């Protein structure tokens, strides 16, 4: 017998001996004799579970009896958020985070103006913007962040005060920051407040700065100089240090206006005279409208020197042309008084602010657009107040002003085209444009009026549609010229829309209101508002079309332009 066979009976006997007391303790008494009961015995009447052949040790992590063990779930169908795709492989898994080589830099074309490149990056999320170009203007310790932000805000202030759109101002500020290596920056532009913030990394504290725009002035020469500065800063081949940028910015601020005050007053008079010819005036009307506009301009300058708000300046400037028209009617002079008053209104209509306000709204800057359009409304109400006061007293004095005179506008194509070009030229002088841009904007204004006259007078198309198409061509040509010269588009578009401004519709609406024809007056004013919106939307649409489908300029031309500047 083997050792295993010897040990097996012994274990069975020991196991039986171990269980014997338990069986004895629960057995009832035999033959009437009392049995000794163990304190561990199970009381009578309590069911005793049947013990197995061997003792079992239960783990505290064991699943209790009666609880079903759930089977492992089947594989999630493809497309579930919790299942890997069918092409997933653990050995060839894609990197979950930034790869060691870094995120590839998005290459933007270098042969387009910096406005388009910066606008494209501004419309991207911060995490998706391409890395900046190698910084060449930074010192060994890196750029001075507070000074770069201050320079950025000062440049943005000049652009916003000059009438530039909010998106273009943000693009210029973004270009200045990136030119000095501050790629994680966020500019923000509202109607009166500029702010910019920069955060070096996710663990560093951000740096923010802001600046308030309190004064606004129309000087497109200064605006063009600021664009040239930003263009040089954004060019990787042009080395402009921070100190040099500050020096050039100070020179831009100190520059005098290109035209003296008497030239501006004369330009306002010629503008009003040219506008009166557009609506059917003759030589007498031309002279009367010019005199009224010049007198109103001088009164507005006087009020501005006294610190009077712009609302009252517009109100006072609108009175002399209306007074001259009423005086000629009372004196029974055979002239079109309506043409005199309409010509005087052309010089006051805030076309520049209207175009900028609509452009901000179309590009998503709704707060700035609302503020600009509210400013336009206040200026318009000031003009309405001044003209209505004069017309009211004129009606009381017996002036025979006829609102239906608008239907008697004569068609003189050659004379009207010449008048429209003169109007654009004088408007450009009032906007303080550079002399090199005056000729281009004059030609652009002549093209705008030619298209409008051909569509409205020859093809008999509605004035709103004709105005929108003509304004669209103005925006298209203006954007092409600005791209060719790498400058702002405002000097090429704002003055060119002068012949399209709704001066006559505004005047006849006010005249009807003054004669208690409220319904007719509101219809005419609604027409004026429709024409103004058509101008603004047309200019913006033409600009966007040129940005999307046309590409003017090249890197070679841009380098040649830099060399001729001597920087």
């Amino acid at each position: 017998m083997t050792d295993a066979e010897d040990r097996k009976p012994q274990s069975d006997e020991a196991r039986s001996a171990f269980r014997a007391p338990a069986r004895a303790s629960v057995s009832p008494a035999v033959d009437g004799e009392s049995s000794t009961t163990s304190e561990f015995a199970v009381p009578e009447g309590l069911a005793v579970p049947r013990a197995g052949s061997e003792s079992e040790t239960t783990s505290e992590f064991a699943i209790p009896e009666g609880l079903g063990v759930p089977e492992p779930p089947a594989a999630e169908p493809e497309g579930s958020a919790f299942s890997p795709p069918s092409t997933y492989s653990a050995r060839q898994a894609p990197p979950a985070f930034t790869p060691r080589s870094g995120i590839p830099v998005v290459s933007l074309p270098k042969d387009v103006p910096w406005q388009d490149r910066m606008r494209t990056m501004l419309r991207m999320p911060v995490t998706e913007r391409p890395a900046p170009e190698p910084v060449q203007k930074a010192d060994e310790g890196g750029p001075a962040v507070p000074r770069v932000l201050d320079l950025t805000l000062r440049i943005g202030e000049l652009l916003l005060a000059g009438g530039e759109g909010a998106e273009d101002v943000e693009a210029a500020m973004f270009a200045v920051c990136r030119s000095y290596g501050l790629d994680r920056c966020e500019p923000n532009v509202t109607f009166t407040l500029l702010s910019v913030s920069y955060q070096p990394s996710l663990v560093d504290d951000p740096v923010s700065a802001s600046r308030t725009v309190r004064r606004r002035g129309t000087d497109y020469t200064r605006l063009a100089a600021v664009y040239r500065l930003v263009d040089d800063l954004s060019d990787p081949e042009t080395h402009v240090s921070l100190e040099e940028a500050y020096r050039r910015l100070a020179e831009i601020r100190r520059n005098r206006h290109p035209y003296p005050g008497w030239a501006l007053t004369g330009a306002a008079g010629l503008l009003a005279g040219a506008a009166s010819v557009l609506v059917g005036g003759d030589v007498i009307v031309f002279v009367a409208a010019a005199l009224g506009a010049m007198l109103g301009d001088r009164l507005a300058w006087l009020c501005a020197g006294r610190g009077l708000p712009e609302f009252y300046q517009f109100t006072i400037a609108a009175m002399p042309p209306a007074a001259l028209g009423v005086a000629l009617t009372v004196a029974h002079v055979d002239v079109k008084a309506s043409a005199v008053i309409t010509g005087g209104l052309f010089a006051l209509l805030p076309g520049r602010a209207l175009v900028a306000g609509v452009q901000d709204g179309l590009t998503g800057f709704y707060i700035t657009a609302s503020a600009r359009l509210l400013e336009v409304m206040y200026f318009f109400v000031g003009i309405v107040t001044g003209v209505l006061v004069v017309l009211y007293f004129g009606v009381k004095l017996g002036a025979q002003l006829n609102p239906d005179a608008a239907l008697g506008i004569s068609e003189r194509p050659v004379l009207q085209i010449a008048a429209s070009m003169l109007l654009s030229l004088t408007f450009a002088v009032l906007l303080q444009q550079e002399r090199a841009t005056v000729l281009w904007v004059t030609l652009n204004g002549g093209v705008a009026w030619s298209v409008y006259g051909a569509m409205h007078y020859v093809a008999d198309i509605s004035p709103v549609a004709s105005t929108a198409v003509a304004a669209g061509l103005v925006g298209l040509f203006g954007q092409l010229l600005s791209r060719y010269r790498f400058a702002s588009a405002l000097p090429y578009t704002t003055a060119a829309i002068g012949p399209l401004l709704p001066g006559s519709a505004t005047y006849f609406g006010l005249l009807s209101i003054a004669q208690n024809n409220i319904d007719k007056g509101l219809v005419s004013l609604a027409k004026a508002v429709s024409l103004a919106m058509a101008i603004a939307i047309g200019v913006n649409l033409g600009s966007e079309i040129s940005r999307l489908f046309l590409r003017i300029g090249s890197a070679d031309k841009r380098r040649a332009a830099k060399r001729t500047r001597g920087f």
Side-chain angles (χ1 to χ4, degrees):
M1 181 177 292
T2 62
D3 295 338
E5 292 176 351
D6 292 339
R7 285 194 299 267
K8 184 174 181 181
Q10 293 177 2
S11 61
D12 293 340
E13 293 175 0
R15 193 178 296 111
S16 300
F18 178 76
R19 291 195 182 100
R23 286 196 298 268
S25 62
V26 298
S27 299
V30 182
D31 298 334
E33 295 181 359
S34 62
S35 175
T36 304
T37 303
S38 172
E39 58 181 352
F40 298 104
V42 179
E44 294 183 2
L46 183 63
V48 180
R50 185 172 54 187
S53 60
E54 296 182 359
S55 62
E56 298 179 358
T57 304
T58 303
S59 171
E60 60 181 349
F61 299 104
I63 300 176
E65 295 182 0
L67 182 63
V69 180
E71 298 181 358
E76 293 283 348
E78 186 174 354
S80 173
F82 302 98
S83 64
S86 58
T87 57
Y88 178 83
S89 174
R91 295 183 178 180
Q92 299 179 355
F97 302 100
T98 305
R100 291 173 295 178
S101 59
I103 299 177
V105 178
V106 178
S107 60
L108 295 175
K110 302 296 183 183
D111 57 344
V112 297
W114 58 265
Q115 298 97 311
D116 292 349
R117 291 186 284 120
M118 297 300 109
R119 186 181 293 107
T120 300
M121 284 186 285
L122 275 175
R123 294 176 179 178
M124 294 180 181
V126 180
T127 56
E128 298 179 7
R129 290 175 183 169
E133 299 172 356
V135 181
Q136 57 194 7
K137 298 176 253 321
D139 299 330
E140 294 181 359
V145 174
R147 297 200 67 196
V148 172
L149 297 184
D150 179 69
L151 177 67
T152 302
L153 291 174
R154 291 178 183 273
I155 290 177
E157 178 189 9
L158 288 179
L159 293 176
L160 187 62
E164 193 63 78
E167 187 177 33
D168 294 326
V169 175
E170 283 196 0
M173 295 172 64
F174 193 66
V176 174
C177 287
R178 287 181 64 88
S179 65
Y180 289 101
L182 308 185
D183 58 318
R184 299 178 63 89
C185 64
E186 280 296 327
N188 188 20
V189 176
T190 58
F191 186 59
T192 58
L193 182 65
L194 298 169
S195 62
V196 59
S197 62
Y198 169 69
Q199 188 173 12
S201 64
L202 296 177
V203 297
D204 295 327
D205 295 332
V207 181
S208 301
S210 61
R211 194 174 184 88
T212 303
V213 179
R214 301 189 183 277
R215 296 187 61 184
R216 300 177 185 274
T218 304
D219 189 345
Y220 282 179
T221 300
R222 179 180 295 175
L223 188 70
V226 176
Y227 260 77
R228 283 193 292 269
L229 174 59
V230 178
D231 191 19
D232 290 338
L233 290 175
S234 60
D235 186 9
E237 298 183 1
T238 304
H239 300 271
V240 181
S241 64
L242 197 61
E243 298 299 331
E244 177 67 14
Y246 265 107
R247 185 189 64 79
R248 291 179 57 180
L249 188 62
E251 290 181 356
I252 293 173
R253 285 182 171 273
R254 287 195 302 265
N255 283 346
R256 298 178 62 87
H257 298 304
Y259 307 102
W262 62 266
L264 298 179
T265 301
L270 291 177
L271 189 152
S276 65
V277 174
L278 285 178
V279 293
D282 52 13
V283 178
I284 299 178
V285 171
F286 181 93
V287 175
L291 290 177
M294 288 190 291
L295 181 58
D297 181 77
R298 286 293 91 191
L299 290 176
W301 276 94
L302 180 62
C303 295
R306 301 287 182 177
L308 205 64
E310 285 186 301
F311 175 85
Y312 301 106
Q313 296 177 28
F314 274 82
T315 302
I316 295 173
M319 288 183 176
L324 277 179
V326 172
L328 291 174
T329 304
V330 173
H332 301 287
V333 180
D334 189 14
V335 295
K336 287 186 177 181
S338 59
V340 176
I341 301 175
T342 300
L345 292 179
F346 261 88
L348 299 176
L349 293 178
R352 172 183 58 86
L354 175 66
V355 172
V358 174
Q359 180 181 356
D360 289 343
L362 294 176
T363 53
F365 293 83
Y366 301 113
I367 297 178
T368 308
S370 302
R372 288 186 188 271
L373 294 178
L374 186 62
E375 181 189 36
V376 171
M377 188 194 72
Y378 271 103
F379 291 163
F380 191 77
V381 170
I383 298 171
V384 167
T385 303
V387 175
L388 276 181
V389 169
V390 176
L391 292 181
Y392 177 78
F393 284 105
V395 172
K396 292 298 181 181
L397 293 175
Q400 300 297 324
L401 299 172
N402 185 14
D404 297 330
L407 302 176
I409 297 178
S410 59
E411 299 178 12
R412 299 168 293 179
V414 177
L415 185 59
Q416 288 179 332
I417 291 175
S420 66
M421 297 177 67
L422 178 61
L423 192 152
S424 298
L425 187 149
T426 53
F427 203 174
V429 173
L430 287 176
L431 294 174
Q432 304 280 358
Q433 291 189 196
E434 292 180 307
R435 291 178 174 85
T437 63
V438 172
L439 177 61
W440 293 107
V441 75
T442 301
L443 296 176
N444 202 6
V447 171
W449 181 261
S450 300
V451 173
Y452 171 79
M455 295 183 64
H456 179 54
Y457 295 117
V458 179
D460 198 19
I461 301 177
S462 67
V464 176
S466 304
T467 301
V469 174
L473 290 178
V474 168
L476 178 62
F477 293 154
Q479 193 64 230
L480 294 180
L481 290 171
S482 67
R483 284 167 171 262
Y484 181 78
R485 299 176 63 90
F486 292 96
S488 172
L490 285 181
Y492 300 99
T493 57
T494 304
I497 64 173
L500 305 176
L501 293 176
S504 58
T506 304
Y507 162 69
F508 288 110
L510 299 179
L511 180 59
S512 299
I513 293 176
Q515 294 179 346
N516 291 328
N517 295 325
I518 306 298
D519 296 338
K520 190 174 182 180
L522 292 179
V523 170
S524 185
L525 290 180
K527 178 183 177 181
V529 173
S530 301
L531 291 174
M533 294 296 293
I535 292 173
I537 295 176
V539 170
N540 182 264
L541 182 60
S543 301
E544 293 297 332
I545 289 175
S546 65
R547 291 194 188 106
L548 290 176
F549 301 106
L550 300 178
R551 181 168 296 175
I552 300 296
S554 63
D556 296 335
K557 292 182 180 179
R558 198 161 183 263
R559 295 191 192 100
K562 300 298 181 184
R563 288 195 296 269
T564 57
R565 292 176 189 165
F567 296 116

